[in-house]
Amino acid sequence: MERLVFWLVFFSILGGCSIASAQVFKNDDLTISKFEDSMWVVETTDNTTMYIVEGTDKAMLIDTGTKCENLDNVIRHITKKPLVVVITHAHPDHAGNIDYFDEIWLHPSDTVLLSKNYKGSVQYLYHGQVFDLGQTRLEVAHMPGHTPGSVVLLDWQTGNCYSGDAFGSGMVWLQLRPFTPIKTYAKSCMAMELLMDKGITKIYCGHYPYVKKTYSKEYITDMRKLAIMLDEGLAEDAKPFPRKIPQLGSNNPMVVTLNNVSIVYEPEHIK
């Protein structure tokens, strides 16, 4: 874990925009800060992140973190409105507390990663789906790469994108099973660039405590360029050169860096 923290912090020093916040709740598991009029960031003690977005009629919890006791009751300190729980992807650091909720929304491509013990109702997300919370609307965009079913949530009114781990937090992990071709991730970066050309301005990542900022289009562009270099076998042109890292989810993970972004990948599973 210490090595993981090192890599995430080292590669996340630059490339974003700091946001002012006001802490509104804290316990042994997490801290909740208000960032915008109807948006809160939940930072856990193990550096995962959830987001709460509130409309006039409903609220949305984006991801559920890892081990946060009584998370359902904790969220009620922030909002009493009917809650929609959306999981950006099914890795346990983002879906670890789904048992506190009777219903979750998830992209069907990530069903294979979902805990078999979950007894609640699973509703399936689709690309272009819109959640109307009342004067706040969040649109689903499918962004495969980190997982087959990774999604982001788009708030066109504020320009916010809640990205989970789709584009990493300075470093994106593409070395985890089930593997997705690097070219698929590059296409997701291209799609995100187009969305940012149309009005999305801030990307809130899935591990905000490491970076304490949002990411801009420049970050996504560098990710796309680096992914294309990997796909085309040109990674040796990146500086520093590709290098091995401590084993993280695969047998032979490598990391390569371009400017202020990094991709972890498995050399045998680029295509």
Side-chain angles (χ1 to χ4, degrees), residues 127-227:
H127 183 80
Q129 180 178 3
V130 175
F131 289 91
D132 190 343
L133 306 180
Q135 298 184 20
T136 296
R137 293 163 60 87
L138 292 171
E139 179 183 344
V140 177
H142 184 208
M143 296 290 177
H146 178 63
T147 67
S150 287
V151 301
V152 303
L153 284 303
L154 308 170
D155 184 336
W156 290 99
Q157 184 174 355
T158 62
N160 292 344
C161 169
Y162 305 99
S163 66
D165 285 343
F167 303 106
S169 300
M171 170 188 286
V172 66
W173 284 17
L174 303 182
Q175 86 286 14
L176 303 177
R177 295 179 183 272
F179 296 109
T180 302
I182 299 292
K183 183 178 292 185
T184 299
Y185 176 66
K187 289 180 179 178
S188 291
C189 291
M190 294 177 200
M192 192 68 234
E193 287 178 290
L194 291 175
L195 292 172
M196 300 192 84
D197 286 339
K198 294 178 180 179
I200 296 299
T201 58
K202 301 186 296 293
I203 295 179
Y204 283 96
C205 65
H207 293 271
Y208 188 85
Y210 287 119
V211 300
K212 297 293 185 180
K213 64 193 173 196
T214 59
Y215 286 113
S216 65
K217 182 185 174 184
E218 180 182 7
Y219 172 86
I220 297 296
T221 298
D222 283 343
M223 278 290 187
R224 187 250 304 161
K225 290 178 179 178
L226 186 54

Side-chain angles (χ1 to χ4, degrees), residues 35-81:
F35 274 35
E36 300 178 18
D37 286 343
S38 299
M39 192 273 276
W40 295 260
V41 175
V42 185
E43 302 175 64
T44 69
T45 53
D46 59 352
N47 298 312
T48 63
T49 305
M50 299 166 258
Y51 296 94
I52 303 168
V53 180
E54 189 181 62
T56 56
D57 301 326
K58 301 177 183 178
M60 179 181 287
L61 174 65
I62 301 172
D63 287 337
T64 63
T66 45
K67 296 179 180 179
C68 301
E69 187 173 354
N70 299 319
L71 180 61
D72 51 344
N73 295 331
V74 169
I75 299 305
R76 290 309 176 199
H77 285 276
I78 305 302
T79 180
K80 299 292 195 295
K81 293 177 179 175

Side-chain angles (χ1 to χ4, degrees), residues 101-105 118-123:
F101 304 98
D102 294 332
E103 179 181 88
I104 62 169
W105 289 82
Y118 180 61
K119 305 302 182 184
S121 174
V122 178
Q123 303 296 323

Side-chain angles (χ1 to χ4, degrees), residues 63-64 86-96 105-107 110 113-114 125 146-151 163-166 176 206-207:
D63 287 337
T64 63
V86 174
I87 306 301
T88 61
H89 64 292
H91 284 157
D93 55 334
H94 292 261
W105 289 82
L106 175 80
H107 193 278
D110 263 20
L113 296 169
L114 191 64
L125 300 168
H146 178 63
T147 67
S150 287
V151 301
S163 66
D165 285 343
L176 303 177
H207 293 271

